[in-house]
């Protein structure tokens, strides 16, 4: 499991070449789901930060969504 956070203008890298891609939701935010080489990547923004979770697909995707929805920003 890998979690990444960057301010808007930064980047969260995801390899999308030949990957399965779809759009889903993390809470109220649109998120991009990528699946490639037995790895899920989930990226989204709250308007101030960009977040990314990368995890092996041995973890069910609904559990990854639960983790993402449970994240809070501490300022």
């Amino acid at each position: 499991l890998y979690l990444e956070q960057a301010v808007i203008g930064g980047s969260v890298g995801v390899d999308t070449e030949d990957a399965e891609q779809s759009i889903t939701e993390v809470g109220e935010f649109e998120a991009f789901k990528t699946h490639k080489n037995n790895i899920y990547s989930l990226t989204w923004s709250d308007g101030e930060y960009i977040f990314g979770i990368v995890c092996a697909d041995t973890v069910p995707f609904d559990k990854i969504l639960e983790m993402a929805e449970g994240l809070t920003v501490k300022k």
Side-chain angles (χ1 to χ4, degrees), residues 9-54:
S11 67
V12 176
V14 176
D15 180 7
T16 60
E17 185 175 354
D18 298 324
E20 296 175 30
Q21 300 176 58
S22 62
I23 296 175
T24 189
E25 292 183 0
V26 172
E28 63 188 77
F29 306 109
E30 185 176 83
F32 299 94
K33 172 186 172 186
T34 304
H35 185 239
K36 179 178 178 179
N37 297 332
N38 303 318
I39 301 290
Y40 283 122
S41 298
L42 183 66
T43 57
W44 72 100
S45 175
D46 68 356
E48 187 173 354
Y49 296 97
I50 300 168
F51 302 92
I53 293 179
V54 179

